[in-house]
């Protein structure tokens, strides 16, 4: 039970955190270079949410590197409880941000047929990155919840 | 561990299912009576997602009533695995639908300042009901996941 893929302080856990960090950073990068994003509240919220994801994943990636180099065990219940709460909050916020932005893209491209410029394809790329970051974050959340329940 | 609030086959579990069913049905009812909802893909998706929530919650509410009247135990691992998968799928779809619709409402009301008719307030009410239904569904999902992990 304790040798789950993606657990904190393991190579797979570090890879998962780096994936979340990378895709969230890419989502922010693509969105802030798209013209006119700031006139959409949902896109600003996407940037804020991905910013939180970047900070959280980077922090935990550093902790994973520390645990791997010093051979420390990060699986004590208090630390795992903190990871569970943080992971769930970031995962739910990421999904909410990606979906609200996706709702607007679908509105413009399918309902209003008003989405054929370069900005629109950049918004779509950014949202796709946000969804990938959410999927990796959802895996982490489930692994952490599993480890927490196994340890209490 | 097995006496969790909201577990299948208990009065609290039945109340949770009836709450999910009621709010999802209310979300559909308010949305289909709003004029012009069908020209928005996200609102149609909200109706589809809440329709799935209604069917799923109604089915599980019937199972809870059966278990309560016949004093049956529903907590065997295979049945709980099925509940976990169904609950997670409906919870994620509900959140995605509520957020994508909320993204559009925010776009119209805050960004475009084009949201002061009666239809708009009906959309908002429907989305609020969808969020409440998702919150109840998220509680069920976590309880089911907890029970599944405790039983294996």
């Amino acid at each position: 039970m304790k040798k789950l893929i993606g657990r904190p302080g393991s190579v797979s856990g570090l890879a998962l955190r780096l994936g979340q960090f990378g895709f969230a950073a890419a989502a922010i990068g693509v969105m802030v270079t798209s013209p006119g994003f700031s006139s959409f509240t949902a896109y600003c919220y996407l940037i804020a949410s991905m910013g939180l994801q970047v900070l959280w994943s980077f922090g935990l990636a550093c902790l994973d590197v520390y645990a791997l180099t010093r051979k420390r065990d990060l699986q004590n219940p208090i630390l795992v409880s903190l990871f569970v709460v943080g992971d769930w909050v970031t995962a739910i916020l990421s999904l909410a941000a990606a979906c609200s932005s996706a709702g607007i893209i679908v509105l413009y491209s399918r309902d209003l047929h008003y989405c054929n410029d370069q900005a629109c394809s950049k918004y779509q790329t950014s949202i796709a990155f946000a969804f990938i970051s959410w999927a990796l974050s959802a895996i982490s959340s489930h692994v952490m919840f599993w480890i927490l329940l196994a340890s209490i």
Side-chain angles (χ1 to χ4, degrees), chain A:
Chain A
M1 186 70 108
K2 289 216 163 188
K3 290 287 173 195
L4 275 175
I5 290 174
R7 68 189 189 280
S10 70
V11 178
S12 55
L14 178 62
L16 215 52
R17 295 297 169 191
L18 290 179
Q20 290 161 23
F21 172 81
F23 283 108
I28 295 174
V30 174
M31 188 55 89
V32 296
T33 55
S34 312
F37 79 92
S38 59
S39 50
F40 296 93
T41 306
Y43 296 158
C44 298
Y45 171 50
L46 184 85
I47 292 173
S49 171
M50 287 295 116
L52 181 70
Q53 180 72 267
V54 160
L55 290 176
W56 177 253
S57 322
F58 183 72
L60 291 205
C62 292
L63 210 60
D64 280 341
V65 169
Y66 167 80
L68 282 168
T69 50
R70 300 285 181 98
K71 309 249 181 276
R72 292 283 169 91
D73 184 20
L74 294 179
Q75 295 187 41
N76 76 65
I78 296 167
L79 214 54
V80 174
S81 310
L82 186 76
F83 295 161
V84 167
V85 174
D87 268 341
W88 278 103
V89 169
T90 52
I92 289 174
L93 291 181
S94 299
L95 180 62
C99 288
S100 54
S101 303
I104 291 177
I105 276 292
V106 170
L107 176 78
Y108 274 94
S109 61
R110 281 183 59 115
D111 303 335
L112 304 177
H113 303 289
Y114 183 66
C115 189
N116 32 26
D117 56 350
Q118 202 205 345
C120 209
S121 66
K122 286 189 102 174
Y123 296 152
Q124 284 168 336
T125 311
S126 171
I127 294 166
F129 285 148
F131 269 113
I132 299 171
S133 179
W134 162 72
L136 297 174
S137 186
I139 296 170
S140 279
S141 320
H142 277 87
V143 169
M144 291 296 171
F145 195 50
W146 195 296
I147 292 171
L148 178 70
L149 296 187
S151 67
I152 56 176

